[in-house]
Amino acid sequence: MKRIWMLLVALMPVAALAQAEEPRDLCADRPGLGTPACTVDKGRVVVELGLGDWTREQDGQSRTDTIQTGDMLVRLGLADHLEAQIGWTAFGHVRTRDRMSGVVDSDSGIGDVRVALRRNLSNPDASGFSVALMPYASLPAGGSAIGDGDWGAGLLVPVSFDIGHGLSLEWVPEIDAAVDEDRSGRHVAYGSVAGLGFDLSDSLSGTIEASLMRDDDPTGHATEALAGLSFGWQPSDDMQFDIGVNAGLNADSPDGEVYFGVVRRF
């Protein structure tokens, strides 16, 4: 935690040097299931914060509710086409209730640290056709509640296409070395997100998405399918507030998720 705040303080002078340049339109990772292909302007810092996130998952035996807050992502523009990222979740609480006996188990803790690089290959401002490569790694800094217990890694290839009239298409294939359910070792997980973005006004936008992820965990293979709807409101060029909902489409998926957050560019 202390190191993350030290990093933020160290990045502020770098961001100040870039204030004289006219920035590109704010392009945030939040909200939604997908990942944008655009990158942060060179020398600028974008801080994205999930203020609240509630996920519910239930079957015939149990119901699990997961609440997270302080899901922070810091993005630094290293070059016109390159950014670095570091993410961390400050708090998570997991509550599981046995539907037959009524016994409740709960656990709380912090999340893992995630670091990533995003290298845009075409149109870093997301105009026209834009594509990027985004390798990442997760470091086991979290507890048993929301931490994975071991390191993981993966590669995303965000693709977007601005088709005009306030509409855009997105496609984000992904392959991961995901941590095993027993919190030791890794297995292959892969899938993609597809979506349609739309502008409702100059400051309000929305996204409709679908996600399909295959997880080949040794304890049991699963295919998670989600549908999502999210909205972002930008009261200024450097700030955004967002809200979103996701719904599970099959038995391997969480039943539902509601979240909201804020983005600020420096």
Side-chain angles (χ1 to χ4, degrees), residues 21 24 37-43 77-83 118-121 123-125:
E21 301 180 8
R24 299 193 285 257
C38 57
T39 53
V40 177
D41 307 69
K42 179 181 179 181
L78 301 178
D80 289 339
H81 294 75
L82 179 66
E83 71 173 56
R118 183 182 301 161
R119 176 62 165 91
N120 182 275
L121 304 177
N123 295 322
D125 61 352

PDB file of all heavy atoms in Angstrom, residues 21 24 37-43 77-83 118-121 123-125:
ATOM      1  N   GLU A  21       0.494  20.686 -23.240  1.00  0.00           N
ATOM      2  CA  GLU A  21       0.060  20.088 -24.489  1.00  0.00           C
ATOM      3  C   GLU A  21      -1.440  19.818 -24.463  1.00  0.00           C
ATOM      4  O   GLU A  21      -2.003  19.470 -23.452  1.00  0.00           O
ATOM      5  CB  GLU A  21       0.825  18.782 -24.738  1.00  0.00           C
ATOM      6  CG  GLU A  21       2.332  18.963 -24.809  1.00  0.00           C
ATOM      7  CD  GLU A  21       3.040  17.649 -25.057  1.00  0.00           C
ATOM      8  OE1 GLU A  21       2.334  16.645 -25.317  1.00  0.00           O
ATOM      9  OE2 GLU A  21       4.278  17.630 -24.997  1.00  0.00           O
ATOM     10  N   ARG A  24      -5.501  14.380 -25.795  1.00  0.00           N
ATOM     11  CA  ARG A  24      -6.514  13.685 -26.578  1.00  0.00           C
ATOM     12  C   ARG A  24      -7.781  13.550 -25.743  1.00  0.00           C
ATOM     13  O   ARG A  24      -7.793  13.814 -24.540  1.00  0.00           O
ATOM     14  CB  ARG A  24      -5.996  12.300 -26.972  1.00  0.00           C
ATOM     15  CG  ARG A  24      -4.737  12.327 -27.825  1.00  0.00           C
ATOM     16  CD  ARG A  24      -4.471  10.967 -28.440  1.00  0.00           C
ATOM     17  NE  ARG A  24      -3.946  10.021 -27.478  1.00  0.00           N
ATOM     18  CZ  ARG A  24      -2.669   9.662 -27.399  1.00  0.00           C
ATOM     19  NH1 ARG A  24      -1.778  10.230 -28.193  1.00  0.00           N
ATOM     20  NH2 ARG A  24      -2.271   8.756 -26.525  1.00  0.00           N
ATOM     21  N   ALA A  37      -8.398   0.054 -26.870  1.00  0.00           N
ATOM     22  CA  ALA A  37      -7.111  -0.014 -27.558  1.00  0.00           C
ATOM     23  C   ALA A  37      -6.331   1.286 -27.438  1.00  0.00           C
ATOM     24  O   ALA A  37      -5.135   1.318 -27.740  1.00  0.00           O
ATOM     25  CB  ALA A  37      -7.331  -0.348 -29.034  1.00  0.00           C
ATOM     26  N   CYS A  38      -6.970   2.361 -27.001  1.00  0.00           N
ATOM     27  CA  CYS A  38      -6.314   3.656 -26.906  1.00  0.00           C
ATOM     28  C   CYS A  38      -5.331   3.687 -25.745  1.00  0.00           C
ATOM     29  O   CYS A  38      -5.392   2.859 -24.827  1.00  0.00           O
ATOM     30  CB  CYS A  38      -7.350   4.761 -26.734  1.00  0.00           C
ATOM     31  SG  CYS A  38      -8.418   4.504 -25.300  1.00  0.00           S
ATOM     32  N   THR A  39      -4.405   4.648 -25.772  1.00  0.00           N
ATOM     33  CA  THR A  39      -3.416   4.809 -24.713  1.00  0.00           C
ATOM     34  C   THR A  39      -3.450   6.234 -24.168  1.00  0.00           C
ATOM     35  O   THR A  39      -3.925   7.162 -24.825  1.00  0.00           O
ATOM     36  CB  THR A  39      -2.000   4.497 -25.213  1.00  0.00           C
ATOM     37  OG1 THR A  39      -1.725   5.262 -26.392  1.00  0.00           O
ATOM     38  CG2 THR A  39      -1.856   3.014 -25.527  1.00  0.00           C
ATOM     39  N   VAL A  40      -2.920   6.389 -22.956  1.00  0.00           N
ATOM     40  CA  VAL A  40      -2.850   7.696 -22.301  1.00  0.00           C
ATOM     41  C   VAL A  40      -1.795   8.556 -22.992  1.00  0.00           C
ATOM     42  O   VAL A  40      -0.744   8.053 -23.413  1.00  0.00           O
ATOM     43  CB  VAL A  40      -2.506   7.523 -20.808  1.00  0.00           C
ATOM     44  CG1 VAL A  40      -2.348   8.865 -20.122  1.00  0.00           C
ATOM     45  CG2 VAL A  40      -3.576   6.689 -20.121  1.00  0.00           C
ATOM     46  N   ASP A  41      -2.053   9.866 -23.101  1.00  0.00           N
ATOM     47  CA  ASP A  41      -1.086  10.789 -23.683  1.00  0.00           C
ATOM     48  C   ASP A  41       0.250  10.721 -22.946  1.00  0.00           C
ATOM     49  O   ASP A  41       0.298  10.531 -21.720  1.00  0.00           O
ATOM     50  CB  ASP A  41      -1.605  12.229 -23.595  1.00  0.00           C
ATOM     51  CG  ASP A  41      -2.981  12.391 -24.186  1.00  0.00           C
ATOM     52  OD1 ASP A  41      -3.945  11.869 -23.584  1.00  0.00           O
ATOM     53  OD2 ASP A  41      -3.102  13.044 -25.222  1.00  0.00           O
ATOM     54  N   LYS A  42       1.338  10.905 -23.683  1.00  0.00           N
ATOM     55  CA  LYS A  42       2.673  10.877 -23.102  1.00  0.00           C
ATOM     56  C   LYS A  42       2.789  11.883 -21.958  1.00  0.00           C
ATOM     57  O   LYS A  42       2.451  13.055 -22.102  1.00  0.00           O
ATOM     58  CB  LYS A  42       3.712  11.181 -24.168  1.00  0.00           C
ATOM     59  CG  LYS A  42       5.143  11.186 -23.650  1.00  0.00           C
ATOM     60  CD  LYS A  42       6.132  11.510 -24.753  1.00  0.00           C
ATOM     61  CE  LYS A  42       7.555  11.549 -24.227  1.00  0.00           C
ATOM     62  NZ  LYS A  42       8.538  11.880 -25.308  1.00  0.00           N
ATOM     63  N   GLY A  43       3.253  11.410 -20.793  1.00  0.00           N
ATOM     64  CA  GLY A  43       3.487  12.271 -19.645  1.00  0.00           C
ATOM     65  C   GLY A  43       2.276  12.533 -18.788  1.00  0.00           C
ATOM     66  O   GLY A  43       2.399  13.153 -17.736  1.00  0.00           O
ATOM     67  N   GLY A  77       1.180   7.554 -19.307  1.00  0.00           N
ATOM     68  CA  GLY A  77       1.603   7.599 -20.692  1.00  0.00           C
ATOM     69  C   GLY A  77       3.114   7.710 -20.806  1.00  0.00           C
ATOM     70  O   GLY A  77       3.693   8.721 -20.408  1.00  0.00           O
ATOM     71  N   LEU A  78       3.763   6.670 -21.331  1.00  0.00           N
ATOM     72  CA  LEU A  78       5.222   6.656 -21.482  1.00  0.00           C
ATOM     73  C   LEU A  78       5.663   7.215 -22.827  1.00  0.00           C
ATOM     74  O   LEU A  78       6.763   7.754 -22.956  1.00  0.00           O
ATOM     75  CB  LEU A  78       5.753   5.229 -21.334  1.00  0.00           C
ATOM     76  CG  LEU A  78       5.452   4.526 -20.005  1.00  0.00           C
ATOM     77  CD1 LEU A  78       6.002   3.103 -20.032  1.00  0.00           C
ATOM     78  CD2 LEU A  78       6.035   5.310 -18.843  1.00  0.00           C
ATOM     79  N   ALA A  79       4.827   7.059 -23.849  1.00  0.00           N
ATOM     80  CA  ALA A  79       5.101   7.558 -25.189  1.00  0.00           C
ATOM     81  C   ALA A  79       3.757   7.768 -25.882  1.00  0.00           C
ATOM     82  O   ALA A  79       2.700   7.496 -25.310  1.00  0.00           O
ATOM     83  CB  ALA A  79       5.981   6.579 -25.969  1.00  0.00           C
ATOM     84  N   ASP A  80       3.779   8.254 -27.122  1.00  0.00           N
ATOM     85  CA  ASP A  80       2.524   8.513 -27.820  1.00  0.00           C
ATOM     86  C   ASP A  80       1.683   7.255 -28.000  1.00  0.00           C
ATOM     87  O   ASP A  80       0.467   7.329 -28.095  1.00  0.00           O
ATOM     88  CB  ASP A  80       2.813   9.134 -29.192  1.00  0.00           C
ATOM     89  CG  ASP A  80       3.326  10.560 -29.088  1.00  0.00           C
ATOM     90  OD1 ASP A  80       3.092  11.191 -28.033  1.00  0.00           O
ATOM     91  OD2 ASP A  80       3.969  11.029 -30.040  1.00  0.00           O
ATOM     92  N   HIS A  81       2.344   6.081 -28.054  1.00  0.00           N
ATOM     93  CA  HIS A  81       1.637   4.827 -28.295  1.00  0.00           C
ATOM     94  C   HIS A  81       1.812   3.823 -27.161  1.00  0.00           C
ATOM     95  O   HIS A  81       1.467   2.654 -27.324  1.00  0.00           O
ATOM     96  CB  HIS A  81       2.133   4.181 -29.597  1.00  0.00           C
ATOM     97  CG  HIS A  81       1.818   4.954 -30.827  1.00  0.00           C
ATOM     98  ND1 HIS A  81       2.504   6.105 -31.175  1.00  0.00           N
ATOM     99  CD2 HIS A  81       0.895   4.752 -31.806  1.00  0.00           C
ATOM    100  CE1 HIS A  81       2.019   6.556 -32.322  1.00  0.00           C
ATOM    101  NE2 HIS A  81       1.048   5.768 -32.722  1.00  0.00           N
ATOM    102  N   LEU A  82       2.342   4.238 -26.008  1.00  0.00           N
ATOM    103  CA  LEU A  82       2.677   3.279 -24.967  1.00  0.00           C
ATOM    104  C   LEU A  82       2.291   3.809 -23.589  1.00  0.00           C
ATOM    105  O   LEU A  82       2.570   4.978 -23.270  1.00  0.00           O
ATOM    106  CB  LEU A  82       4.182   2.973 -24.995  1.00  0.00           C
ATOM    107  CG  LEU A  82       4.716   1.988 -23.946  1.00  0.00           C
ATOM    108  CD1 LEU A  82       4.154   0.590 -24.190  1.00  0.00           C
ATOM    109  CD2 LEU A  82       6.240   1.971 -23.967  1.00  0.00           C
ATOM    110  N   GLU A  83       1.667   2.961 -22.781  1.00  0.00           N
ATOM    111  CA  GLU A  83       1.349   3.314 -21.402  1.00  0.00           C
ATOM    112  C   GLU A  83       1.679   2.152 -20.477  1.00  0.00           C
ATOM    113  O   GLU A  83       1.706   0.990 -20.889  1.00  0.00           O
ATOM    114  CB  GLU A  83      -0.130   3.688 -21.238  1.00  0.00           C
ATOM    115  CG  GLU A  83      -1.091   2.524 -21.355  1.00  0.00           C
ATOM    116  CD  GLU A  83      -2.532   2.922 -21.027  1.00  0.00           C
ATOM    117  OE1 GLU A  83      -3.048   3.858 -21.676  1.00  0.00           O
ATOM    118  OE2 GLU A  83      -3.129   2.286 -20.138  1.00  0.00           O
ATOM    119  N   ARG A 118       0.527  -1.359 -22.267  1.00  0.00           N
ATOM    120  CA  ARG A 118      -0.339  -1.356 -23.447  1.00  0.00           C
ATOM    121  C   ARG A 118       0.378  -0.621 -24.580  1.00  0.00           C
ATOM    122  O   ARG A 118       0.669   0.570 -24.463  1.00  0.00           O
ATOM    123  CB  ARG A 118      -1.690  -0.701 -23.164  1.00  0.00           C
ATOM    124  CG  ARG A 118      -2.643  -0.761 -24.373  1.00  0.00           C
ATOM    125  CD  ARG A 118      -3.953  -0.072 -24.073  1.00  0.00           C
ATOM    126  NE  ARG A 118      -4.614  -0.686 -22.937  1.00  0.00           N
ATOM    127  CZ  ARG A 118      -5.563  -0.096 -22.220  1.00  0.00           C
ATOM    128  NH1 ARG A 118      -5.956   1.137 -22.519  1.00  0.00           N
ATOM    129  NH2 ARG A 118      -6.117  -0.720 -21.204  1.00  0.00           N
ATOM    130  N   ARG A 119       0.661  -1.349 -25.641  1.00  0.00           N
ATOM    131  CA  ARG A 119       1.329  -0.779 -26.817  1.00  0.00           C
ATOM    132  C   ARG A 119       0.337  -0.688 -27.955  1.00  0.00           C
ATOM    133  O   ARG A 119      -0.097  -1.690 -28.512  1.00  0.00           O
ATOM    134  CB  ARG A 119       2.522  -1.648 -27.215  1.00  0.00           C
ATOM    135  CG  ARG A 119       3.233  -1.199 -28.507  1.00  0.00           C
ATOM    136  CD  ARG A 119       3.833   0.194 -28.375  1.00  0.00           C
ATOM    137  NE  ARG A 119       4.782   0.480 -29.445  1.00  0.00           N
ATOM    138  CZ  ARG A 119       4.450   1.061 -30.613  1.00  0.00           C
ATOM    139  NH1 ARG A 119       3.184   1.400 -30.860  1.00  0.00           N
ATOM    140  NH2 ARG A 119       5.395   1.287 -31.518  1.00  0.00           N
ATOM    141  N   ASN A 120      -0.060   0.550 -28.285  1.00  0.00           N
ATOM    142  CA  ASN A 120      -0.985   0.762 -29.392  1.00  0.00           C
ATOM    143  C   ASN A 120      -0.232   0.661 -30.712  1.00  0.00           C
ATOM    144  O   ASN A 120       0.874   1.178 -30.855  1.00  0.00           O
ATOM    145  CB  ASN A 120      -1.658   2.131 -29.260  1.00  0.00           C
ATOM    146  CG  ASN A 120      -2.658   2.376 -30.362  1.00  0.00           C
ATOM    147  OD1 ASN A 120      -2.289   2.828 -31.440  1.00  0.00           O
ATOM    148  ND2 ASN A 120      -3.918   2.079 -30.099  1.00  0.00           N
ATOM    149  N   LEU A 121      -0.845  -0.010 -31.668  1.00  0.00           N
ATOM    150  CA  LEU A 121      -0.225  -0.212 -32.975  1.00  0.00           C
ATOM    151  C   LEU A 121      -0.840   0.657 -34.055  1.00  0.00           C
ATOM    152  O   LEU A 121      -0.255   0.799 -35.139  1.00  0.00           O
ATOM    153  CB  LEU A 121      -0.343  -1.685 -33.386  1.00  0.00           C
ATOM    154  CG  LEU A 121       0.227  -2.710 -32.391  1.00  0.00           C
ATOM    155  CD1 LEU A 121      -0.019  -4.122 -32.904  1.00  0.00           C
ATOM    156  CD2 LEU A 121       1.698  -2.466 -32.143  1.00  0.00           C
ATOM    157  N   ASN A 123      -3.529   4.280 -34.268  1.00  0.00           N
ATOM    158  CA  ASN A 123      -4.451   5.288 -33.752  1.00  0.00           C
ATOM    159  C   ASN A 123      -4.623   5.210 -32.229  1.00  0.00           C
ATOM    160  O   ASN A 123      -5.612   4.676 -31.724  1.00  0.00           O
ATOM    161  CB  ASN A 123      -5.823   5.163 -34.420  1.00  0.00           C
ATOM    162  CG  ASN A 123      -5.770   5.465 -35.907  1.00  0.00           C
ATOM    163  OD1 ASN A 123      -5.045   6.366 -36.335  1.00  0.00           O
ATOM    164  ND2 ASN A 123      -6.520   4.730 -36.693  1.00  0.00           N
ATOM    165  N   PRO A 124      -3.659   5.742 -31.486  1.00  0.00           N
ATOM    166  CA  PRO A 124      -3.730   5.691 -30.016  1.00  0.00           C
ATOM    167  C   PRO A 124      -4.865   6.512 -29.424  1.00  0.00           C
ATOM    168  O   PRO A 124      -5.178   6.362 -28.244  1.00  0.00           O
ATOM    169  CB  PRO A 124      -2.368   6.251 -29.583  1.00  0.00           C
ATOM    170  CG  PRO A 124      -1.927   7.115 -30.716  1.00  0.00           C
ATOM    171  CD  PRO A 124      -2.417   6.416 -31.952  1.00  0.00           C
ATOM    172  N   ASP A 125      -5.510   7.374 -30.226  1.00  0.00           N
ATOM    173  CA  ASP A 125      -6.661   8.135 -29.744  1.00  0.00           C
ATOM    174  C   ASP A 125      -7.976   7.412 -30.010  1.00  0.00           C
ATOM    175  O   ASP A 125      -9.056   7.967 -29.762  1.00  0.00           O
ATOM    176  CB  ASP A 125      -6.690   9.517 -30.390  1.00  0.00           C
ATOM    177  CG  ASP A 125      -6.804   9.445 -31.913  1.00  0.00           C
ATOM    178  OD1 ASP A 125      -6.716   8.331 -32.475  1.00  0.00           O
ATOM    179  OD2 ASP A 125      -6.965  10.509 -32.541  1.00  0.00           O
TER     180      ASP A 125
END
